[in-house]
Amino acid sequence: MYRTALSRFRAVKGRTGNLAAAHYATSSAVASLETPLEGVSLPPALPDYVASSETKVKTLSNGVKIASEKLLTPAASIGLFINSGSIYETPISSGASHLLERMAFKSTTNRTHLRIVREVEAIGGNTSTSASRECMAYTFDALKSYVPEMVELLIDCVRNPAFLDWEVNEELQKLKAELEEVSKNPERLILEAVHSTGYCGALANPLLAPESALDRLDSSILEEFVTENYTGTRMVLAASGIEHEELLQIAEPLLSDLPAGPYLEEPESVYVGGDFRRQADAPSSHFALAFEVPGGWNSEKESVILTVMQMLMGGGGSFSAGGPGKGMHSRLYLRVLNEYQQIQSFSAFNSIFNNTGLFGIYGSTSSDFVSKAVDIAAEELLLLAEEGAGLLALHFSYFLPLCFLATPFRMASFFIIATPALFVFFSFFTNF
């Protein structure tokens, strides 16, 4: 039996060797990759330098701005941006921006919701909507060949919403379910509380629709809010990957009759700082220590510095679901998360608006370590200001502190010590 198996193995090995020899013999006969192929012409090589595309802008008679930038890509992206958001809401229309985000691309006076879905799917497009405190954004992405359809459908959905009662009621029910999920998300609740407590005025308006507004919001409130805020002087149509003249030819007839609307100054917001605490039946405590960014985007240089600084500080969770290396080399990850095992998450954040903004650190840890974690956050901000060699130190010297805690079954008392540069929080916790 052994001799039989050995002879078969030798026979198979011999055949394999012959196949390998034939393979290499065949490979040696193949032409070199550098040999030009007959009947195939190579495209011209890319130049060493390619100038950036020029952004062209035209303002219509009613104030609508149309901007575009030509890109050498097969796809086009179009967005309609309105200077509207929760800062323009009144006590009656509170939550309208959040609901409008969910009502985007629903039925219009010209199309049913089903038809809109079918038209978007037919061209392989992708739509999205986002609501913020100062801006509503509607976007549409698809191939360049469908630009006319994209522009017409996008403008129709923004200008002519039908706000059918049954669609509004359906989205209100979904909104109620969303708020229930948000109530289980401490990070989102605290970042919302940062604005409502830190500011007095329009920026204190909630971005999330309050539960008390769900029984009040209806189609008539949405229609009134859109009529007042979706006007020509507060609207921009921007596109990338499209010729400017082509975009004007399609969009101008669709937007030129939009009412310009009265000039409306942005509602005033004053940063006041504050302290917000909420008890929750949770295994860990969440906190945010934030400061004002004076000037906001109107002070472009300082805002860009803060944005870069937020990326440099980084941070994240103690466990990275995205695999090794996801933010693990940022400053807060190396200096805090690697050093303190009690801290579950620790990251920098910013929220910058036209005239002001917030910059700070959010973290979560066990209840008995919150006091130390807040001190660590303050220390990291102070060290960053000192190491900034003047520029960051000057920027931080205008900041006022804002500390927020969501502490399960704990009660915190704060003692504020004033220094010439900024205010420092010291926190002491006692059992509730």
Side-chain angles (χ1 to χ4, degrees):
M1 180 183 296
Y2 172 76
R3 292 178 179 177
T4 304
L6 182 61
S7 62
R8 290 179 179 176
F9 173 74
R10 287 174 177 173
V12 172
K13 183 178 180 181
R15 289 197 297 270
T16 305
N18 294 336
L19 289 173
H23 171 72
Y24 287 117
T26 305
S27 299
S28 61
V30 175
S32 171
L33 294 177
E34 298 179 356
T35 303
L37 298 176
E38 295 182 3
V40 177
S41 59
L42 297 177
L46 292 175
D48 296 333
Y49 171 76
V50 178
S52 58
S53 302
E54 178 186 1
T55 301
K56 299 180 180 180
V57 182
K58 179 180 179 179
T59 303
L60 304 184
S61 58
N62 57 356
V64 176
K65 291 182 174 62
I66 300 178
S68 67
E69 182 175 335
K70 181 182 177 181
L71 298 176
L72 299 177
T73 58
S77 180
I78 305 173
L80 202 53
F81 304 89
I82 300 100
N83 186 17
S84 174
S86 62
I87 65 171
Y88 296 97
E89 294 175 357
T90 64
I92 296 178
S93 61
S94 178
S97 299
H98 192 186
L99 182 56
L100 282 173
E101 180 183 19
R102 302 196 65 93
M103 289 297 298
F105 299 100
K106 296 294 182 180
S107 299
T108 71
T109 55
N110 302 310
R111 291 176 168 89
T112 64
H113 176 53
L114 177 61
R115 179 180 170 185
I116 292 172
V117 173
R118 291 285 179 85
E119 290 186 14
V120 173
E121 289 179 346
I123 63 176
N126 178 56
T127 61
S128 64
T129 312
S130 64
S132 66
R133 285 179 162 78
E134 293 183 329
C135 180
M136 293 289 298
Y138 302 81
T139 61
F140 195 171
D141 303 326
L143 295 176
K144 286 183 178 180
S145 55
Y146 299 109
V147 165
E149 293 89 339
M150 294 166 62
V151 175
E152 195 275 329
L153 187 145
L154 178 65
I155 295 176
D156 181 39
C157 290
V158 176
R159 283 201 59 181
N160 308 306
F163 295 132
L164 301 178
D165 289 336
W166 68 270
E167 287 186 339
V168 174
N169 293 332
E170 181 180 4
E171 293 305 318
L172 283 172
Q173 294 303 316
K174 293 179 181 179
L175 204 60
K176 187 177 297 185
E178 180 186 349
L179 293 178
E180 292 178 359
E181 291 297 320
V182 170
S183 65
K184 304 174 185 178
N185 186 343
E187 179 177 1
R188 190 167 179 184
L189 286 174
I190 285 186
L191 294 181
E192 182 74 8
V194 165
H195 296 83
S196 60
T197 309
Y199 286 102
C200 177
L203 285 174
N205 293 344
L207 180 58
L208 299 175
E211 293 184 7
S212 59
L214 299 183
D215 296 330
R216 182 181 65 254
L217 289 172
D218 55 21
S219 57
S220 61
I221 292 178
L222 294 182
E223 290 173 1
E224 184 178 355
F225 186 82
V226 168
T227 302
E228 291 178 357
N229 296 280
Y230 285 35
T231 56
T233 55
R234 299 166 62 179
M235 189 174 294
V236 175
L237 177 69
S240 64
I242 304 174
E243 290 282 357
H244 190 64
E245 295 303 324
E246 179 186 1
L247 179 63
L248 287 176
Q249 185 178 1
I250 302 169
E252 190 169 357
L254 299 173
L255 292 172
S256 59
D257 62 335
L258 183 70
Y263 176 77
L264 183 64
E265 292 187 1
E266 184 174 312
E268 185 180 1
S269 299
V270 179
Y271 177 81
V272 294
D275 171 24
F276 171 84
R277 276 167 274 170
R278 176 176 175 178
Q279 294 185 359
D281 186 7
S284 59
S285 297
H286 303 258
F287 67 91
L289 177 64
F291 303 85
E292 187 193 18
V293 181
W297 287 117
N298 287 330
S299 301
E300 184 177 356
K301 183 177 180 180
E302 285 76 10
S303 296
V304 171
I305 290 174
L306 262 295
T307 303
V308 174
M309 188 166 67
Q310 187 249 333
M311 295 297 295
L312 291 175
M313 294 186 74
S318 56
F319 173 76
S320 175
K326 187 179 180 182
M328 292 184 176
H329 298 286
S330 62
R331 181 184 180 96
L332 294 183
Y333 207 106
L334 295 174
R335 291 176 55 88
V336 179
L337 289 169
N338 283 352
E339 298 296 328
Y340 301 94
Q341 301 303 318
Q342 302 92 331
I343 297 180
Q344 300 155 6
S345 64
F346 205 80
S347 59
F349 70 90
N350 69 56
S351 184
I352 303 178
F353 306 103
N354 292 333
N355 302 307
T356 182
L358 294 172
F359 177 84
I361 292 177
Y362 162 82
S364 63
T365 183
S366 57
S367 300
D368 56 352
F369 199 74
V370 173
S371 174
K372 178 64 176 176
V374 173
D375 292 340
I376 293 171
E379 181 182 354
E380 287 299 319
L381 294 173
L382 288 170
L383 286 174
L384 189 65
E386 293 172 0
E387 296 172 4
L391 184 57
L392 291 179
L394 177 64
H395 201 75
F396 271 96
S397 67
Y398 292 98
F399 287 177
L400 294 175
L402 179 59
C403 187
F404 301 90
L405 292 169
T407 311
F409 308 113
R410 293 274 180 175
M411 182 171 63
S413 58
F414 290 90
F415 299 90
I416 305 175
I417 299 179
T419 65
L422 47 88
F423 291 96
V424 183
F425 279 84
F426 288 86
S427 54
F428 300 86
F429 285 79
T430 57
N431 288 326
F432 182 67

